[in-house]
Amino acid sequence: MASLNVGNLGEYLREQRRHAQLSLRQLADAAGVSNPYLSQIERGLRKPSADILQQLAKALRISAETLYVQAGMLDEREREELETRAVILADPSINERQKQVLLQIYDSFRKENAMDAEAGAEAAEAAGTGTGTGAGAGESPAESSDTPPPSQ
């Protein structure tokens, strides 16, 4: 888990609070936290728990995952995955079985893409280090260190 980035979190919370046109006291009341505690969070003096961040997100009507990313508790890709899953699970137009099947398909695509990306990275690394077969950059096949010189 990443370390908490409390300064940026506080600035982000203040910006969201102002965007929502809430005073510090109004947000504190809506989130169920004390006014001084919220002030300390905004100033970067306190590290709120995930539960407090969730309460603040609910009061600000933003996703808790967004605050987790700002706090360094969650990376961006994890947030996107969680939000995608939440949207699927919240969709009232499909039944529970369909939701589970859709999540399984989503997981299989993510797994396949991760394997493809890993294989591509390994291939690029092998090509970049000269461990592959064939000549390196600017070498003819006879000059490549991977092949012995032609016998005369």
Side-chain angles (χ1 to χ4, degrees):
M1 184 186 326
S3 64
L4 290 180
N5 194 348
V6 191
N8 287 344
L9 172 64
E11 292 169 20
Y12 183 78
L13 276 172
R14 183 177 298 118
E15 180 182 306
Q16 292 301 311
R17 177 176 58 78
R18 288 179 177 159
H19 181 71
Q21 298 179 337
L22 294 171
S23 69
L24 193 69
R25 186 173 308 280
Q26 288 170 321
L27 178 57
D29 289 343
V33 298
S34 74
N35 189 35
Y37 182 63
L38 179 57
S39 175
Q40 290 173 347
I41 293 170
E42 282 193 0
R43 290 181 289 139
L45 302 175
R46 292 286 186 154
K47 297 178 182 180
S49 68
D51 288 339
I52 297 296
L53 290 175
Q54 189 171 13
Q55 290 170 233
L56 289 167
K58 186 176 179 182
L60 289 167
R61 296 187 177 151
I62 60 175
S63 76
E65 289 80 11
T66 301
L67 291 183
Y68 298 157
V69 169
Q70 287 294 320
M73 299 170 122
L74 187 68
D75 77 16
E76 187 67 25
R77 284 178 288 163
E78 290 173 317
R79 179 188 67 83
E80 290 169 358
E81 179 184 351
L82 288 172
E83 286 180 348
T84 301
R85 290 176 177 284
V87 168
I88 291 169
L89 292 171
D91 189 336
S93 67
I94 58 177
N95 66 39
E96 289 305 311
R97 185 187 63 74
Q98 292 168 330
K99 290 175 186 180
Q100 293 307 312
V101 170
L102 190 53
L103 287 172
Q104 288 171 352
I105 292 168
Y106 175 69
D107 286 339
S108 70
F109 283 151
R110 287 180 53 82
K111 190 176 192 178
E112 181 181 329
N113 290 345
M115 289 188 318
D116 288 348
E118 188 176 310
E122 288 173 1
E125 183 180 318
T129 60
T131 59
T133 59
E139 296 178 333
S140 69
E143 295 171 337
S144 173
S145 61
D146 292 346
T147 57
S151 57
Q152 304 243 347

